[in-house]
Amino acid sequence: MMTSLSVENTFTFENIEAYFQAALNQGYDIITCRDYIHYKKTHCQHKILVNRVDIDVSVKKAYRLASIFNKLAIKASFFVRLHANEYNPFSFENYRILKFIRDSGHEIGYHSEVNDEAMIWQETAESCLKRDLDILNKMLNINTVGVASHGGMTGINNLDFWKDKTPQSFGLLYEAYDTQPDFDLYNHSFYISDSCWTYWKCYHHGKLINNDRRSLGEHVNDNHPIIYSLIHPETYYDLHFYE
């Protein structure tokens, strides 16, 4: 049962489950980023919510989100970092969880930090990307088709890597903010993110909507034809932020 859909919402696991349930109740098909490419090709007119999860800090909490999605019988795209100080994807527990996410039918993509890598290691960003994709694919026995560029603390914009490159050049189908016609989701959707940690922010067709801090659960009531949702596992908790 939903505890709150007010502007002063709390980022509990209970609430995020309720928000996705609200989307289902409003008739949304909840799909992955990879599925969105098929959606565009078929010119489907059904309402969709593209469910993206960037694992910035906590694989353990990603497990909680995946379990919620499994309960609701919906899928998500989980983007994994390979060089985070905050977690090791190869650790015993994190690797177990990533396999659980994969085996539950969710998409796993790469949360790219290639410009950071290139600067720190004095290597080319292209070689870093190719190596990282190869490692992620071999690690989980998958074929990664999507990348989401990570925004970290360095001040380096990893999305800049794609200004003069295409995902297809690296055997990929999309980058999460890709503006090529086959994807171009951000500019053709209502985008909502929890990336401000304590409140939501939203964009309509790429333009920020000022002072709108309503939750995902509230926005689904506006019946946008395409919602692009980005959430981060570490934002959510049961009782308090520091648990």
Side-chain angles (χ1 to χ4, degrees), residues 16 20 30-31 33 48-54 69 77 185 189-194 200 216 226-231 236:
I16 196 64
F20 279 98
I30 299 176
I31 65 174
C33 294
I48 61 167
L49 187 156
V50 181
N51 186 11
R52 171 180 159 196
V53 180
D54 286 0
F69 298 152
S77 297
L185 173 57
S189 66
F190 183 86
Y191 173 87
I192 179 167
S193 171
D194 64 9
W200 297 86
L216 173 63
I226 302 175
I227 293 177
Y228 186 11
S229 166
L230 168 60
I231 62 176
Y236 299 90

Side-chain angles (χ1 to χ4, degrees), residues 18-187:
Y19 299 159
F20 279 98
Q21 182 63 64
L24 291 171
N25 293 345
Q26 285 292 337
Y28 279 92
D29 286 340
I30 299 176
I31 65 174
T32 67
C33 294
R34 179 179 55 204
D35 292 336
Y36 176 70
I37 296 172
H38 176 72
Y39 168 89
K40 287 198 71 173
K41 288 179 179 178
T42 57
H43 304 288
C44 179
Q45 298 300 311
H46 205 271
K47 291 190 303 182
I48 61 167
L49 187 156
V50 181
N51 186 11
R52 171 180 159 196
V53 180
D54 286 0
I55 309 177
D56 282 3
V57 175
S58 177
V59 178
K60 182 178 179 181
K61 288 192 173 186
Y63 175 78
R64 291 289 303 279
L65 288 180
S67 298
I68 287 171
F69 298 152
N70 291 351
K71 176 182 175 182
L72 297 175
I74 61 178
K75 300 297 184 234
S77 297
F78 288 82
F79 293 91
V80 180
R81 297 170 70 190
L82 292 181
H83 308 289
N85 286 334
E86 293 85 356
Y87 68 84
N88 173 13
F90 291 93
S91 74
F92 289 111
E93 183 62 6
N94 287 344
Y95 180 62
R96 183 194 70 81
I97 291 170
L98 291 175
K99 288 206 303 177
F100 169 80
I101 292 171
R102 177 201 65 190
D103 294 344
S104 295
H106 303 287
E107 178 187 8
I108 293 181
Y110 173 47
H111 205 19
S112 170
E113 299 174 89
V114 294
N115 281 349
D116 290 314
E117 295 169 50
M119 184 274 294
I120 294 168
W121 297 334
Q122 296 300 294
E123 299 178 0
T124 67
E126 291 86 351
S127 66
C128 291
L129 177 60
K130 291 176 182 177
R131 181 177 59 225
D132 287 349
L133 289 172
D134 188 48
I135 290 170
L136 183 60
N137 286 335
K138 288 180 177 177
M139 172 188 177
L140 291 168
N141 193 27
I142 59 176
N143 180 25
T144 303
V145 299
V147 165
S149 297
H150 176 65
M153 304 297 291
T154 64
I156 296 172
N157 189 344
N158 289 292
L159 191 58
D160 287 345
F161 174 82
W162 299 101
K163 284 184 175 180
D164 58 354
K165 302 174 186 68
T166 66
Q168 289 73 19
S169 299
F170 297 89
L172 300 164
L173 295 179
Y174 69 88
E175 199 284 332
Y177 295 109
D178 190 356
T179 59
Q180 293 188 94
D182 286 347
F183 196 71
D184 203 14
L185 173 57
Y186 176 71
N187 289 318

Side-chain angles (χ1 to χ4, degrees), residues 192-204:
I192 179 167
S193 171
D194 64 9
S195 56
C196 293
W197 288 84
T198 57
Y199 61 90
W200 297 86
K201 65 177 179 179
C202 57
Y203 297 73
H204 188 244

